[in-house]
Amino acid sequence: MSKITAAITAVNGYVPDYVLTNQELSTMVDTNDEWITSRTGIKERRILKGEGLGTSDLAVPAVMGLLKKRGIGAEEIDLIIFCTTTPDMPFPATANSFAHKIGAVNAWGFDMQAACSGFVFGLATGAQFIETGMHKKVLIVGADKMSSIVDYQDRATCIIFGDGAGAALLEPSTEGYGIIDSILKSDGSGIPFLNMKAGGSIKPATHETIDAREHYAYQEGKTVFKFAVTSMADVAAEVMERNNLTADDIAWLVPHQANKRIIDATASRTGVCEDKVVINIEKYGNTTNATIPLCLWEWEDKFKKGDNIILAAFGGGFTWGSMYLKWAYDTK
Ligand code: UT7
């Protein structure tokens, strides 16, 4: 019997309507369009507005669209891996509220917390259930309502983040399509540089933690940048080398969208030329777990069956990783 691989058989994305421009940000904090554009490549980002709406509400339209494209019902999903850093609630898992909202009555699920690397970690995890034959349809969701934890008084951090959701369906392939290899890493010595200090078991919420603004994402941008720029580029190069791939073999490089300068460094390190690098950071900013699935969604029509695609991510933790996959379908 031929080996079973986990192929992506459908992707979709969703971003909320409200557009937060650099211009509007410059009325909120001391910044300007020129600084944000030249330092990050971001022009605007989307924000989920509305009382009582959370991350799962971003994921619902993304996944309903995916199911429609694939022509299947939510009840056919076996497993949901919900990758997020902004869960609907600290517990229970957003995978549960999300499954309930879409009617995935036969699925079990759990949340994946690996910050901006979550979607790649989620794909690698989901692939195991397909490869072993345990499941036939595994849904990997990457979604974040970053606006719920961004401090709009911190000009160095608030300018990069936005809200969004994306998803990919994994199904078995016996023709060698899908996830071929991945290298995943984490290093807890990075915690001081990118975190949320309060609201966990070490420092539960108090009036003091709220006054100290410790329920917002904290980032030492320069330090994170230094780690991201080398780690993401190195791990992408490593997965290519391990699979004897040169830049010419790669159809598309899909990097996490945190900063255009980090993306450029990854492209340069792997030798992949600019027109093969998927970039939409100017429209959405850093949507954390959603960046890579949003890229897959927007580029889906350009991907061809058999394309060699490299995913690369870096995030809080620190976490980072890269994945080599063979695209499984043509859209036309
Ligand atoms: O998603 C995964 C994890 N996150 C990342 O990968 C993000 C990595 N970090 C970055 O992308 C960058 O560090 C930032 C975009 C967050 C910041 O850019 P930077 O070039 O590292 O700026 P900086 O924090 O070193 O600040 C440089 C200067 C400072 O002024 P002085 O001290 O040189 O006078 C800042 O106060 O720029 C100032 N500054 C700003 N000026 C205008 C910081 N933020 C702003 C701003 N507008 N929004």
Side-chain angles (χ1 to χ4, degrees):
M1 204 182 100
S2 46
K3 183 175 181 279
I4 298 172
T5 51
I8 293 178
T9 56
V11 289
N12 207 49
Y14 172 78
V15 287
D17 292 337
Y18 191 86
V19 179
L20 176 58
T21 61
N22 289 351
Q23 167 58 31
E24 186 178 351
L25 272 173
S26 71
T27 67
M28 297 157 66
V29 287
D30 181 14
T31 190
N32 56 74
D33 176 54
E34 198 282 318
W35 192 96
I36 302 172
T37 306
S38 63
R39 297 291 180 118
T40 69
I42 302 166
K43 283 292 198 188
E44 56 191 43
R45 63 294 287 142
R46 301 299 182 97
I47 302 296
L48 179 63
K49 300 269 186 185
E51 206 55 34
L53 296 177
T55 297
S56 64
D57 298 297
L58 291 164
V60 168
V63 170
M64 293 316 279
L66 179 150
L67 296 174
K68 194 169 171 212
K69 268 189 196 176
R70 186 72 187 100
I72 60 168
E75 70 287 351
E76 293 180 58
I77 305 294
D78 300 308
L79 164 63
I80 297 169
I81 302 181
F82 200 103
C83 312
T84 188
T85 303
T86 51
D88 284 358
M89 298 175 180
F91 84 92
T94 307
N96 290 61
S97 53
F98 170 73
H100 184 62
K101 282 179 184 174
I102 64 164
V105 289
N106 295 312
W108 67 287
F110 57 90
D111 286 7
M112 167 74 69
Q113 163 58 294
C116 300
S117 308
F119 188 75
V120 175
F121 281 27
L123 279 177
T125 306
Q128 308 305 309
F129 292 92
I130 298 285
E131 288 168 11
T132 57
M134 183 167 170
H135 289 318
K136 295 275 186 287
K137 288 184 171 53
V138 176
L139 185 66
I140 315 299
V141 182
D144 272 300
K145 183 185 170 188
M146 290 305 292
S147 60
S148 65
I149 60 164
V150 163
D151 183 353
Y152 288 100
Q153 292 183 12
D154 174 4
R155 67 174 182 169
T157 307
C158 73
I159 48 118
I160 69 171
F161 291 107
D163 301 341
L169 183 68
L170 291 177
E171 294 185 81
S173 163
T174 49
E175 299 165 286
Y177 294 108
I179 295 164
I180 311 292
D181 194 14
S182 51
I183 299 175
L184 310 169
K185 309 209 181 206
S186 52
D187 177 358
S189 70
I191 291 170
F193 312 110
L194 185 47
N195 58 49
M196 189 198 287
K197 295 195 165 33
S201 56
I202 292 178
K203 214 184 221 195
T206 61
H207 287 293
E208 288 72 28
T209 62
I210 290 172
D211 290 345
R213 308 185 78 75
E214 289 179 341
H215 296 270
Y216 291 119
Y218 168 83
Q219 176 170 261
E220 284 181 29
K222 223 181 228 341
T223 310
V224 177
F225 184 92
K226 266 189 217 153
F227 274 91
V229 91
T230 50
S231 307
M232 197 164 100
D234 285 351
V235 77
E238 194 182 337
V239 92
M240 283 171 60
E241 276 155 30
R242 189 156 96 173
N243 291 278
N244 301 313
L245 296 165
T246 67
D248 290 340
D249 301 315
I250 303 304
W252 300 100
L253 171 66
V254 186
H256 169 54
Q257 315 277 307
N259 187 317
K260 173 76 163 50
R261 291 183 289 144
I262 300 173
I263 295 171
D264 291 345
T266 306
S268 157
R269 172 81 172 80
T270 55
V272 175
C273 60
E274 208 182 328
D275 55 353
K276 293 180 182 177
V277 184
V278 176
I279 303 175
N280 59 14
I281 193 171
E282 70 285 356
K283 291 191 293 183
Y284 306 136
N286 181 352
T287 53
T288 304
N289 284 273
T291 60
I292 290 178
L294 283 174
C295 285
L296 298 178
W297 166 54
E298 290 206 321
W299 260 255
E300 184 189 22
D301 285 348
K302 298 192 181 81
F303 295 163
K304 294 196 175 53
K305 190 170 178 174
D307 275 356
N308 289 323
I309 298 181
I310 299 290
L311 313 182
F314 180 89
F318 294 131
T319 55
W320 65 106
S322 185
M323 176 173 278
Y324 163 37
L325 56 90
K326 234 180 216 312
W327 197 249
Y329 63 97
D330 293 312
T331 46
K332 294 189 183 96

